Structures are given as structure tokens and as C-alpha cells.
């Protein structure tokens, strides 16, 4: 059936709120916003295979620019979409085209996928006038459909773990890639939400010691036509089209609303094990691209409302994301949609927080604006202000790198931490001063506006870039499989292959690579702030040098659970390292150290030593050739207290880091008659020593080239350790450049 016509479906006036399709027990209310539309029709489909709607219902009631209708004879499981009429006038920013079926922006579930063809575009593809033309062909046969759901669910008394950020350890992982090849998960569940809630997965997370899993985007997204034409998929999912709907393709139970219940069941199971769920969310752009993109949802409903258009030429879009468009959070209705989405995922789906992709874009008003309405509305919101809010503090627009500039209560992916750690262990010159800041929670970035060390989400690797294994195995990216001629992905990786590009049988190079991986994770988990571990790095996952595997929905990205002895050994080390951090609050302080400036402070909760046992001098901090430092952390300070106000005590530790190629003897600090115990040495394949070695203050500890050691004070007063060594000696650092250091790899 085609055309506008009366139907046997009963219609009532309906309500303007809530937006979307809402099952109310006695029928379904449909409400959709459009300021500029001249007419809207609700299309109902009997099944997902239907090539055209079975009923087309005019929506005639309009309240405050919200079109609404109530259908008493419709219930959960109903497939639907909208057709929106209005001017097709791209030069004035209007792109209405009622020939195109549109998804509901508030759809709680979406079934099916786009079947790409020229009909999915609102203009005539191939016409020399491009998007100034209008395509009148129907596309319902190839469009996914919105689904009415029943939100009822037995949460069985679900309680949020509410892990404090200072105690959090985040594990970044992809829903599908984590379990797709895992034989411990039932085959029908692999690659799904359900798999993450299985006993095998929960046991793995618990033994690893992470407190939260951060899931790459689970909002319904579109696989770009250019990728589908190459036989690829948008695996990462940063191409959202449904901000309320969990991606149906990650569901083992169905796509007619079952994906919602399966997601909730996963969250309930993880919460019962004390594990939080953080979602990576993409509100900065949508899958509709630029003026030559498809018409799937927002563009056809009210283009000037949902997108930032160029003021002098509203045919074109402002693009701060590199995807062709930017979501318009300066419009109240677009901002409302984002806030409604966030609250839905917290209140209905019980998630514990969000990581915001390209978050700078969300706060642009000309440039980056710390008092943008987006920030203000979240800060005063009684729901959203209490969950974990993590920004990716950059975008691709001018002035887009804003690490350290987000307001409280935001935390940030600390890209400066990543770059400092990579550069330091690579042996680059002049990194020592910045490493001091990064190890102590980046006070230079976060202390000035009252934020705490946990504002810094520390990471060395993430989904975007090399895995940890590849970081120490490749100098260059190898993205040929992506089909862009190896032109995609970042060229500036601060990676070092240790002498050979890619896999090698050279035992010395492999030993160095394994040591470097231990160095990175030791640095990560013994730094102040919140550590984030890329899933698979705990045992050494590789993407074979691909640093932009966004389109690799295959073995390049999926976890290979068949581990060799070395991988299992590294997994054991990672587990012990996380457990050690949990056991010692001195490594996860909720406050910055009182000695804030790294040097020059009389307060001794953190001290910095050179290999001669003396405190680091201004000259040494500024030297490009210093690559070895000792950081003493005192556990008996009184500024960190528990809820009752009692000081939280810990031991005193000394972390020694040597990024030089050669071994350096390090004089242990403190007065006479102190005893230190060496408990971790990254030269050891196990990392943690089976039999810790004892040293007296003033003794030399030989730190191997490109290695780090951790010592614990086991005898003597902590105050006596917070002094220069009683046997200190002069020290000089060899003036080698980074290239010379790396050339001396063996």
C-alpha cells in the first residue's frame, strides 16, 4: 500500500510527552519533534521483511512543535518509522523528503540494517547538481525499522557498585571482539551482551582485578556505504544513528526488543559481581554525514535543529569531527535529546557512567566553552552529575586539544600521560620533568581548578592506535587491510620496534619488547590517577601493526584466547600488578601530593632522587639526557583519611625508572640502618620477584637498561627514609641522543 490514506487502525490524540514510542499498557503513544515540517505520517510494518508499510497514519495533533498520536490497538514489538513532509530547500538548510522512511530519534530498539542503494539518499545520486536535486523513490524496503518495546524488567534488587573513581580500574573492551572466539562461552552467545555476563567472563574480570568495563559504542550505528562496498564494517561503532537503542547485532536473543532485555541482564550480572559498566558514547555527530550523505533520521526530520550548519551557506555543515557533520547542542531540542538519552541509559539501563567521544565538539560555541549549556545542564542534573563522566578532550576543529580544560566534575582521557609515558620509555630526550607530573596525577593539568588526581584517566594504549604489543613491535602503522592505501590512522605513534619491524625470532629483541611492556604497565598502575587498560594488553594482543582497526570486524580485532606460555606469564604479571595497586592506597590517593611542584617543597610525601641518592636538582629536571629517576612515596601522611576521619596509612615505596639503554647503579636514599626490599623488577620475566631481595639504605641497586624496580621500606621509620642517602655520591648522565640510545638496544 502506498500513499496517504485512512486506515482501520484506531487513533487517539495522544500526548506530546514522552518523546518516542511509549507502551502505556493500553496502547502506544508516538511523539516526535519537528519545528519546520508541514506534515508527518507514522508508518507501521507487520514484519522486518516487509518492503513497504502496511499502514500509514497521518499525525495531525501538534503541541509545542511536537507531533503526537496514540494507537490503542498497537503494542510492544510493533515495527514503525516516520515520513516527514516539508520544503526540500538545501540552500536554506531544509531537506525534507517524505519519500524516505525515517528512524525515530527516540527509538528504544532498532531492527534490521541499511541495505545500501541510491534510494537511501534524499537527492539524485550522480546528478551534476548533487544534493540540490530531490530523489522521489521510496526507500522503506532497505531501511531499518524502529521497534516499540516494553520497558518492564526484573532488576532483582540491582545495586550499583558505586566504586569511587580513585579506586577504579577501567578495562576498555569491545562487546563483540572480547568473546567472539572464546570457547569458554557457549557458541550461541559469543560476541554478544550475554557473553559479557557469563560466569566465564565475570570470573575473568574478577581475576584480572578491574572494577569497570568501558564498552566501545553500543548505540545503534550504521555501517558506512564506503566500507560495505569494500567488504568491511564499522566495527568500532562511532557512527551512531540511534542514541537510545542498543545495537541489535550484539544480541543473542533477538532484535525486536530482546536486545534491550539482554543488555539489562548483562548489566545486572556485572553489578552483582561488583563490576561497573561505562559506555563510550558518540553525541558529537551522526551517521548521516555531510550534504552528500544519506537521509536516515535527523536530516529528514528537522535538519537545522539537529545539525550545525554553516551560517553563510546552510547547505553545508560545520564539521569539527571529521565525519561530515556536527550535532547541534546549542539547540534546546537537540540538547534535550542528548540529556534524555543519557538519563535513559542511567535510569532504565543502569549504566554507571560515560566516556564522551570527541567531547570538545559537545561544548563548542564558536570555540571551546567551559560554561556551555551542555556542561551546565549536566552539572545541575541530579542523575547525571552523580555518574562517572569521562571526556575525550579533543576534536579535529581549531583549538580542539583541550586536555586539562574540562570543568569539574569531569575526568579526562589524559593524552599527555600517554605521550609522556611512550616518549620516556622510548628514550626520547627531555621527558623526565613531564614524567614527574604524569606519575603524580598531572597536577599541572588538574589542580588549578580544584579537581583531583582522579580527573586524569591514565592510559598508554586505547582502541584508537597500537595495542601494547604492537607499540613495542612496530615503528610504522600497517593499515593496508583498511583499504585506504595505509593513509588512515595516526602517523605519530611514539612507538619503537626495539630493532626489527614486526614479529621476530631474535630472543634479545623479544626479551626487550616484553620488558618494555612490563615497564609500561608498571608505570600505568603505579601512577596517581585512574588507570585504563586496553582489553587484551594484559596478555599481549596484536593487531599486526594496524593502528586504526575501526573497520576490522574479524580476527585482526577479535581476542585470540589461545595463549602461549609467555602470554600467560604476562597475564599473571598484570593480575598481580592490579592486585598490588588495590592493596596499597598510596598509589591511588584521592588528593594531590602536598609537594606539588615535583621539586622545591619541604613536605616529604613525595620525593625525587637521582641515581646518586641526592634529590633531583633543577638542572637535572631540565636536562634532555636524564632518563633515570627515583620516586619515593610516603604512606604515613595525614592528609588522606577515611570516612571517620582517621588517616589511611600505608608503607613507603621507592619506584626506580631507568630508560637508558645501560644499567645504572642507584644509591638507596635515607638515613643509616634502614632496610629496603626489592619486590618488583621488570628485568624478571615474572615482574614480581618470587624471593624479594633486601638492601640497606646507601646500598646500590643495579637497575638494568630500560627497566624499572619497586622497593618497599621494611625496617626503619618512614620519616628517616625521606632524606637524601647517607652515602650519596655525584652522578653524571651519558649525553646520548634518543637515536643513539635506541641504537644501543642490546
Amino acid at each position: 500500500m502506498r500513499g496517504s490514506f485512512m486506515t482501520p487502525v484506531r487513533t487517539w490524540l495522544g500526548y506530546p510527552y514522552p518523546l518516542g514510542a511509549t507502551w502505556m499498557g493500553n496502547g502506544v503513544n508516538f511523539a516526535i519533534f519537528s519545528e519546520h515540517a508541514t506534515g508527518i505520517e507514522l508508518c507501521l510494518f507487520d514484519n522486518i521483511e516487509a518492503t513497504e508499510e502496511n499502514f500509514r497514519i497521518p499525525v495531525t495533533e501538534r503541541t509545542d512543535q511536537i507531533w503526537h498520536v496514540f494507537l490503542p490497538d498497537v503494542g510492544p514489538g510493533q515495527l514503525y518509522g516516520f515520513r516527514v513532509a516539508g520544503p526540500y530547500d538545501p540552500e536554506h538548510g531544509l531537506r525534507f523528503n517524505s519519500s524516505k522512511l525515517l528512524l525515530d530519534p527516540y527509538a528504544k530498539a532498532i531492527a534490521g540494517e541499511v541495505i545500501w542503494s541510491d534510494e537511501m539518499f534524499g537527492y539524485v545520486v550522480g546528478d551534476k547538481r548533487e544534493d540540490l536535486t530531490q530523489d522521489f523513490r521510496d526507500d522503506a524496503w532497505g531501511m531499518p525499522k524502529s521497534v516499540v518495546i516494553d520497558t518492564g524488567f526484573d532488576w532483582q534488587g540491582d545495586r550499583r557498585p558505586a566504586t569511587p573513581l580513585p579506586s577504579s580500574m577501567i578495562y576498555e573492551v569491545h562487546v563483540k571482539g572480547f568473546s567472539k572466539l572464546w570457547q569458554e562461552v557457549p557458541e550461541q552467545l559469543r560476541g554478544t551482551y550475554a557473553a559479557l555476563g557469563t560466569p566465564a567472563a565475570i570470573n575473568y574480570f574478577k581475576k584480572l582485578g578491574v572494577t569497570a568495563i568501558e564498552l566501545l559504542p553500543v548505540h545503534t550505528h550504521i555501517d558506512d556505504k564506503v566500507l560495505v562496498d569494500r567488504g568491511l564494517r564499522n566495527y568500532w561503532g562511532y557512527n551512531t544513528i540511534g542514541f537510545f537503542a542498543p545495537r541489535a547485532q550484539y544480541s543473542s536473543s533477538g532484535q525486536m526488543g530482546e536486545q534491550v532485555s539482554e543488555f539489562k541482564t548483562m548489566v545486572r550480572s556485572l553489578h552483582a559481581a561488583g563490576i561497573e559498566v561505562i559506555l563510550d558514547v558518540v553525541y558529537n555527530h551522526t551517521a548521516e554525514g555531510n550534504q552528500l550523505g544519506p537521509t536516515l533520521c535527523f536530516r529528514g526530520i528537522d535538519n537545522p535543529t539537529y545539525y550545525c550548519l554553516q551560517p553563510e551557506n546552510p547547505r553545508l555543515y560545520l564539521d569539527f569531527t571529521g565525519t561530515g557533520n556536527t550535532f547541534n547542542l546549542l539547540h534546546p531540542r537537540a540538547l534535550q535529546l542528548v540529556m534524555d538519552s543519557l538519563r535513559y541509559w542511567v535510569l532504565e539501563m543502569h549504566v554507571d557512567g560515560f566516556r564522551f567521544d570527541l567531547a570538545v565538539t559537545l561544548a563548542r560555541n564558536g570555540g571551546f566553552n567551559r560554561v556551555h549549556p551542555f556542561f551546565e545542564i549536566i552539572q545541575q542534573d541530579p542523575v547525571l552529575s552523580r555518574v562517572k563522566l569521562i571526556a575525550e578532550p579533543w576534536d579535529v576543529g581549531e583549538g580542539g586539544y583541550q586536555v586539562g580544560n574540562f570543568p569539574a566534575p569531569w575526568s579526562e582521557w589524559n593524552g599527555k600521560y600517554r605521550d609522556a609515558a611512550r616518549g620516556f620509555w622510548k628514550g626520547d630526550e627531555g621527558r623526565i620533568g613531564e614524567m614527574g607530573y604524569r606519575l603524580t596525577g598531572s597536577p599541572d593539568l588538574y589542580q588549578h581548578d580544584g579537581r583531583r588526581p582522579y580527573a586524569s584517566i591514565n592510559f598508554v594504549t586505547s582502541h584508537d592506535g597500537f595495542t601494547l604489543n604492537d607499540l613495542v613491535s612496530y615503528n610504522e602503522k600497517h593499515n593496508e587491510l583498511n583499504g585506504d592505501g595505509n593513509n588512515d590512522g595516526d602517523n605519530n605513534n611514539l612507538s619503537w620496534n626495539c630493532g626489527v619491524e614486526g614479529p621476530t625470532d631474535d630472543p634479545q629483541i623479544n626479551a626487550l619488547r616484553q620488558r618494555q611492556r612490563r615497564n609500561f604497565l608498571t608505570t600505568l598502575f603505579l601512577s596517581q590517577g585512574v588507570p585504563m587498560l586496553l582489553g587484551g594488553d594484559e596478555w599481549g594482543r596484536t593487531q599486526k601493526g594496524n593502528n586504526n582497526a575501526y573497520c576490522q570486524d574479524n580476527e585482526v580485532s577479535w581476542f585470540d584466547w589461545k595463549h602461549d606460555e609467555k602470554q600467560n606469564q604476562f597475564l599473571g604479571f598484570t593480575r598481580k600488578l592490579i592486585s598490588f595497586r588495590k592493596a596499597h592506597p598510596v598509589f591511588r590517593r584521592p588528593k594531590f601530593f602536598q609537594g606539588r611542584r615535583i621539586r622545591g617543597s619541604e613536605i616529604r610525601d613525595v620525593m625525587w632522587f637521582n641515581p646518586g641518592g641526592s634529590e633531583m636538582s633543577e638542572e637535572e629536571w631540565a636536562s634532555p639526557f636524564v632518563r633515570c629517576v627515583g620516586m619515593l612515596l610516603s604512606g604515613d601522611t595525614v592528609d588522606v583519611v577515611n570516612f571517620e576521619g582517621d588517616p589511611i596509612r600505608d608503607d613507603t615505596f621507592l619506584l626506580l625508572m631507568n630508560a637508558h639503554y645501560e644499567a645504572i647503579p642507584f644509591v638507596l636514599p635515607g638515613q643509616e640502618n634502614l632496610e629496603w626490599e626489592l619486590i618488583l623488577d621488570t628485568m624478571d620475566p615474572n615482574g614480581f620477584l618470587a624471593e624479594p631481595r633486601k638492601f640497606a639504605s646507601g646500598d646500590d641497586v643495579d637497575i638494568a637498561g630500560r627497566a624499572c624496580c619497586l622497593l618497599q621500606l621494611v625496617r626503619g621509620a618512614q620519616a628517616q627514609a625521606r632524606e637524601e642517602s647517607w652515602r650519596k655520591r655525584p652522578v653524571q648522565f651519558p649525553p646520548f641522543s634518543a637515536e643513539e640510545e635506541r641504537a644501543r638496544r642490546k
Side-chain angles (χ1 to χ4, degrees), residues 278-566:
I278 298 171
L279 298 188
D280 192 336
V281 289
V282 187
Y283 295 109
N284 56 75
H285 73 280
T286 79
E288 291 185 300
N290 63 14
Q291 74 276 8
L292 299 180
T295 297
L296 308 172
C297 181
F298 310 96
R299 171 174 283 138
I301 293 171
D302 206 298
N303 190 56
T305 290
Y306 288 114
Y307 293 117
C308 296
L309 307 180
Q310 294 186 14
E312 70 284 357
N313 185 4
R315 174 187 176 187
L316 304 179
Y317 295 78
L318 294 175
D319 180 11
F320 302 112
T321 65
T323 64
N325 66 57
T326 299
F327 212 60
N328 183 16
L329 266 66
L330 290 174
H331 193 288
R333 288 297 187 183
L335 182 59
Q336 177 191 5
L337 180 144
V338 171
M339 296 304 150
D340 287 348
S341 168
L342 291 169
R343 278 188 289 266
Y344 174 80
W345 285 96
V346 174
L347 296 174
E348 287 290 330
M349 309 295 265
H350 287 208
V351 304
D352 303 282
F354 305 95
R355 178 266 189 190
F356 292 80
D357 177 64
L358 300 183
V360 169
T361 297
L362 305 177
R364 280 191 176 272
N365 185 359
F368 176 72
N369 182 5
R370 284 169 54 91
V371 292
H372 191 283
F374 173 68
F375 288 144
E376 293 182 336
I377 199 169
I378 282 184
Q379 192 164 29
Q380 61 79 41
D381 189 282
V383 173
L384 300 180
S385 62
R386 299 180 184 179
V387 301
K388 292 178 172 64
L389 302 169
I390 302 170
E392 182 184 41
W394 50 78
D395 67 11
V396 302
E398 184 178 354
Y401 194 72
Q402 294 291 334
V403 173
N405 291 330
F406 276 67
W410 287 77
S411 297
E412 301 173 14
W413 268 28
N414 191 344
K416 293 188 176 181
Y417 181 98
R418 172 200 60 204
D419 295 346
R422 289 185 178 194
F424 175 77
W425 285 114
K426 182 167 164 266
D428 287 351
E429 298 101 330
R431 292 285 185 172
I432 197 69
E434 187 178 6
M435 277 302 292
Y437 286 119
R438 304 300 156 246
L439 288 165
T440 53
S442 296
D444 58 324
L445 300 177
Y446 303 114
Q447 195 172 26
H448 65 280
D449 61 358
R451 286 192 286 172
R452 298 285 188 88
Y454 47 82
S456 179
I457 306 298
N458 299 331
F459 67 105
V460 175
T461 54
S462 69
H463 72 274
D464 189 3
F466 283 140
T467 66
L468 185 61
N469 180 84
D470 292 358
L471 183 67
V472 300
S473 302
Y474 295 91
N475 283 351
E476 309 295 336
K477 65 186 183 184
H478 297 270
N479 300 352
E480 291 80 6
L481 291 178
N482 294 356
D484 283 319
N486 204 33
N487 291 315
D488 62 307
D490 197 346
N491 292 317
N492 182 28
N493 296 287
L494 293 172
S495 61
W496 177 41
N497 63 20
C498 299
V500 172
E501 188 75 353
T504 179
D505 294 327
D506 187 317
Q508 289 182 287
I509 291 178
N510 284 329
L512 174 56
R513 288 175 176 176
Q514 291 156 13
R515 185 162 77 252
Q516 287 284 70
R517 286 162 50 205
R518 290 190 290 272
N519 290 335
F520 278 120
L521 290 196
T522 299
T523 304
L524 177 66
F525 285 104
L526 300 187
S527 294
Q528 305 298 317
V530 182
M532 185 187 79
L533 179 69
L534 172 62
D537 278 354
E538 67 271 22
W539 46 264
R541 185 173 72 89
T542 179
Q543 292 176 171
K544 297 179 171 56
N546 192 323
N547 77 345
N548 189 34
Y550 77 103
C551 57
Q552 298 298 327
D553 188 5
N554 50 49
E555 288 81 356
V556 171
S557 299
W558 301 342
F559 285 21
D560 181 355
W561 290 93
K562 297 174 182 176
H563 301 163
D564 61 27
E565 182 181 351
K566 290 290 185 184

Side-chain angles (χ1 to χ4, degrees), residues 53-130:
E53 57 265 42
N54 300 91
F55 300 102
R56 189 185 294 193
I57 302 162
V59 182
T60 57
E61 292 300 317
R62 189 181 185 192
T63 304
D64 298 332
Q65 301 173 338
I66 295 175
W67 306 65
H68 50 90
V69 66
F70 189 93
L71 304 186
D73 301 320
V74 167
Q78 177 65 57
L79 295 163
Y80 71 100
F82 291 103
R83 297 184 185 276
V84 181
Y88 187 84
D89 186 4
E91 291 180 308
H92 291 90
L94 300 175
R95 296 177 177 271
F96 294 103
N97 189 337
S98 59
S99 301
K100 309 305 174 184
L101 185 75
L102 304 175
L103 292 167
D104 179 0
Y106 277 76
K108 305 305 188 298
I110 294 174
E113 297 185 76
V114 171
I115 302 172
W116 284 110
S117 70
D118 290 350
E119 287 95 315
M120 304 302 143
F121 298 80
Y123 62 94
V124 178
V125 175
D127 192 286
K128 63 181 180 180
R129 299 180 66 233
E130 295 184 323

Side-chain angles (χ1 to χ4, degrees), residues 121-394:
F121 298 80
Y123 62 94
V124 178
V125 175
D127 192 286
K128 63 181 180 180
R129 299 180 66 233
E130 295 184 323
D131 59 307
L132 296 179
T133 61
Q134 184 174 0
D135 186 294
F136 293 97
R137 292 174 294 176
D138 188 88
D139 70 346
W141 60 270
M143 276 290 293
K145 312 298 187 293
S146 305
V147 186
V148 177
I149 69 164
D150 183 347
T151 60
F153 182 77
D154 183 5
W155 280 102
Q156 300 176 2
D158 175 63
R159 298 184 64 181
R160 300 179 186 279
T163 306
L165 255 178
S167 300
S168 295
M169 274 159 273
I170 299 173
Y171 186 75
E172 192 196 26
V173 70
H174 189 283
V175 171
K176 182 176 183 179
F178 176 74
S179 63
K180 182 63 177 175
L181 301 177
W182 199 10
Q183 293 188 341
E184 290 190 31
V185 171
E187 186 172 1
Q188 70 275 16
L189 302 183
R190 294 174 195 167
T192 69
Y193 305 119
L196 290 171
T198 59
I202 288 175
N203 180 59
Y204 183 82
F205 297 141
K206 295 288 285 184
K207 288 183 68 176
L208 184 56
V210 296
T211 66
I213 58 172
E214 181 176 303
L215 301 178
L216 267 69
V218 299
H219 290 175
T220 298
H221 72 263
I222 299 298
D223 290 312
D224 322 56
K225 183 177 186 300
V226 65
L227 293 178
V228 173
D229 289 346
R230 295 178 191 163
L232 300 170
R233 307 293 292 268
N234 193 315
Y235 172 68
W236 286 351
Y238 292 92
N239 205 34
T240 306
I241 201 64
F243 293 122
F244 295 79
R247 180 165 169 80
Q249 288 71 26
Y250 300 154
S251 169
S252 67
S253 50
Q255 59 178 344
M256 300 297 290
E258 297 90 348
Q259 64 268 48
V260 180
S261 294
E262 184 170 324
F263 185 94
K264 291 178 177 179
T265 302
M266 173 198 75
V267 172
R268 186 181 67 192
S269 299
L270 288 164
H271 280 182
I275 299 169
E276 295 185 313
V277 178
I278 298 171
L279 298 188
D280 192 336
V281 289
V282 187
Y283 295 109
N284 56 75
H285 73 280
T286 79
E288 291 185 300
N290 63 14
Q291 74 276 8
L292 299 180
T295 297
L296 308 172
C297 181
F298 310 96
R299 171 174 283 138
I301 293 171
D302 206 298
N303 190 56
T305 290
Y306 288 114
Y307 293 117
C308 296
L309 307 180
Q310 294 186 14
E312 70 284 357
N313 185 4
R315 174 187 176 187
L316 304 179
Y317 295 78
L318 294 175
D319 180 11
F320 302 112
T321 65
T323 64
N325 66 57
T326 299
F327 212 60
N328 183 16
L329 266 66
L330 290 174
H331 193 288
R333 288 297 187 183
L335 182 59
Q336 177 191 5
L337 180 144
V338 171
M339 296 304 150
D340 287 348
S341 168
L342 291 169
R343 278 188 289 266
Y344 174 80
W345 285 96
V346 174
L347 296 174
E348 287 290 330
M349 309 295 265
H350 287 208
V351 304
D352 303 282
F354 305 95
R355 178 266 189 190
F356 292 80
D357 177 64
L358 300 183
V360 169
T361 297
L362 305 177
R364 280 191 176 272
N365 185 359
F368 176 72
N369 182 5
R370 284 169 54 91
V371 292
H372 191 283
F374 173 68
F375 288 144
E376 293 182 336
I377 199 169
I378 282 184
Q379 192 164 29
Q380 61 79 41
D381 189 282
V383 173
L384 300 180
S385 62
R386 299 180 184 179
V387 301
K388 292 178 172 64
L389 302 169
I390 302 170
E392 182 184 41
W394 50 78

Side-chain angles (χ1 to χ4, degrees), residues 36-58:
H36 299 99
T38 58
I40 294 182
E41 294 172 312
L42 171 65
C43 302
L44 303 182
F45 297 81
D46 284 351
N47 58 73
I48 194 63
E49 286 80 26
T51 58
E52 57 188 24
E53 57 265 42
N54 300 91
F55 300 102
R56 189 185 294 193
I57 302 162

